[in-house]
Amino acid sequence: MHSRKFMVSNTGSVNTLKKYSISDREILNKRIKTNPRYNGVRPRTNTGFNTQRRQELELEIRKYYKVRNDEVYRRISLADLLQLMLAHAEDIEAAECDHQNIEKEQEAAEVPLKYRDEVENVLHKMTELEMEGRPKPPECPYVIIDIRPSHDYQESHLVTSVNHPASRMSRAVGWECPELLMYKNHAEFIIIVYDDAEDVAPEVAATLQHRGYSNIFMLSGGLRIAKDKFGFPLVTDDTSRVLTQDAAREIAQQVSVTVIPPLSMADASDWWEAASRIPNYVTPTDPAMTNAPSTINTGRQTARSQLKSRDGQTVRPWR
């Protein structure tokens, strides 16, 4: 057993070592006083996917997701939904540009002015005859159903979402809204339901699945994760259900500096790989996250390129 005192054999006197000397075991119990000025400052050194980051990721997963083993419906992550929204916004912008180019070409066509109106009327009537009797397909490849009460929907909701309270599911007739009927079992389009924090959405998604909806998906994390990770303009109180080009660009910029937690720890390595690609990325629990740089330019092709596979075919992340 070590002691802080020892005997010198030649003199017989007792000497005491200095406190916390190199031979004193109590130095291991020494604690440095913390400066309250730096309580909110955390180290920015990248030490890899260590135990602390693993614990923080586990806390995030338990905070946002409530995965059960008896789920009969499919899930879609917020990251995949944002890719789908941004890709559709790019398609709309490209279609508008093409339409403007076609109008310019028609104006420059060498058709006499007195016959131009007649030609346009004939083409318009031919188009009407071709489209007559055909059901009009939805313009958007997805529909987002907000199943919360109407007053909660008025306060905040996901952009382009439709309000369909879960209480309507208990009706014998008239429990489907027009958007559900339009998108039901469509081969190319999907229906996404969400609530605040996966409280009622699992039950609604399972009910729709049992009632014959084969393209129903539930948003993992609900509105809560969208508020915490993105906020405006993804979460808004505007009921126009339109994703403007300015809002799409702002969301794309937010996506470039945000990493969504995975559904389980089995995908933790992929999550850390994605987080490591972001310069100066810090964990969401870090106060410095609010000051994270957002100078990365994603460009217009980010969402579209992420939905393309190597052979050029479109990849549907909800499949």
Side-chain angles (χ1 to χ4, degrees):
M1 183 175 180
H2 297 275
S3 175
R4 299 186 60 225
K5 295 182 179 181
F6 69 99
M7 298 292 297
V8 179
S9 59
N10 56 354
T11 60
S13 61
V14 178
N15 294 333
T16 304
L17 297 177
K18 293 182 180 180
K19 190 175 183 181
Y20 303 133
S21 66
I22 194 171
S23 60
D24 193 347
R25 291 282 180 163
E26 292 185 5
I27 193 174
L28 300 176
N29 299 326
K30 183 180 179 181
R31 295 292 182 268
I32 300 176
K33 294 182 179 180
T34 59
N35 191 338
R37 180 179 179 181
Y38 303 103
N39 286 338
V41 179
R42 301 181 61 183
R44 299 292 294 273
T45 305
N46 186 358
T47 58
F49 191 47
N50 52 27
T51 304
Q52 181 180 358
R53 286 194 172 96
R54 182 176 292 274
Q55 292 175 351
E56 292 174 349
L57 181 58
E58 289 178 353
L59 291 176
E60 268 202 306
I61 291 175
R62 289 197 296 267
K63 174 183 178 182
Y64 294 119
Y65 308 134
K66 300 176 183 178
V67 182
R68 300 187 303 180
N69 295 328
D70 59 344
E71 294 180 353
V72 297
Y73 48 84
R74 289 172 290 181
R75 288 173 172 263
I76 183 172
S77 66
L78 181 61
D80 292 339
L81 175 60
L82 291 178
Q83 291 181 23
L84 188 61
M85 295 173 66
L86 295 177
H88 179 60
E90 292 174 3
D91 291 341
I92 293 178
E93 185 176 4
E96 291 177 354
C97 294
D98 294 341
H99 183 67
Q100 293 177 358
N101 294 333
I102 292 174
E103 289 182 349
K104 292 180 180 178
E105 293 177 357
Q106 290 178 351
E107 292 177 358
E110 297 180 356
V111 179
L113 182 62
K114 61 180 180 179
Y115 300 118
R116 187 176 301 169
D117 294 338
E118 296 180 2
V119 172
E120 290 181 354
N121 291 333
V122 171
L123 293 175
H124 180 67
K125 290 181 179 179
M126 291 177 61
T127 304
E128 288 183 349
L129 291 175
E130 290 179 357
M131 296 301 297
E132 187 177 359
R134 298 181 183 179
K136 185 179 180 181
E139 298 179 355
C140 185
Y142 63 90
V143 61
I144 306 176
I145 305 296
D146 189 322
I147 61 172
R148 300 176 302 154
S150 57
H151 60 274
D152 293 336
Y153 175 82
Q154 296 292 335
E155 292 178 359
S156 63
H157 56 270
L158 292 181
V159 63
T160 72
S161 63
V162 181
N163 185 228
H164 183 71
S167 58
R168 291 186 58 178
M169 301 297 295
S170 59
R171 298 180 182 178
V173 293
W175 57 272
E176 294 172 297
C177 62
E179 288 76 14
L180 284 176
L181 295 174
M182 183 183 300
Y183 283 81
K184 182 177 181 180
N185 297 338
H186 202 289
E188 299 294 331
F189 302 148
I190 62 173
I191 303 173
I192 304 169
V193 298
Y194 78 92
D195 60 356
D196 277 321
E198 296 190 13
D199 296 325
V200 186
E203 181 180 354
V204 173
T207 302
L208 290 174
Q209 187 79 21
H210 292 150
R211 293 183 180 180
Y213 281 80
S214 61
N215 59 340
I216 192 72
F217 290 81
M218 190 193 76
L219 178 63
S220 297
L223 187 65
R224 184 178 185 180
I225 189 172
K227 283 183 177 180
D228 293 348
K229 298 296 182 179
F230 294 93
F232 183 83
L234 178 60
V235 180
T236 180
D237 57 354
D238 186 11
T239 58
S240 61
R241 297 176 52 193
V242 176
L243 179 61
T244 61
Q245 296 299 328
D246 294 336
R249 295 188 187 97
E250 187 171 350
I251 292 175
Q253 186 177 6
Q254 293 175 345
V255 170
S256 66
V257 294
T258 306
V259 181
I260 307 298
L263 196 61
S264 65
M265 290 300 296
D267 301 326
S269 59
D270 296 336
W271 172 86
W272 176 246
E273 183 180 354
S276 301
R277 289 196 294 265
I278 299 178
N280 300 327
Y281 176 78
V282 290
T283 54
T285 55
D286 195 332
M289 186 64 183
T290 56
N291 299 325
S294 59
T295 58
I296 301 177
N297 184 14
T298 58
R300 291 182 59 249
Q301 297 182 353
T302 300
R304 175 57 59 195
S305 61
Q306 291 178 354
L307 289 175
K308 292 285 186 180
S309 61
R310 293 182 179 179
D311 56 356
Q313 298 297 324
T314 303
V315 177
R316 296 184 177 87
W318 58 88
R319 296 290 181 184

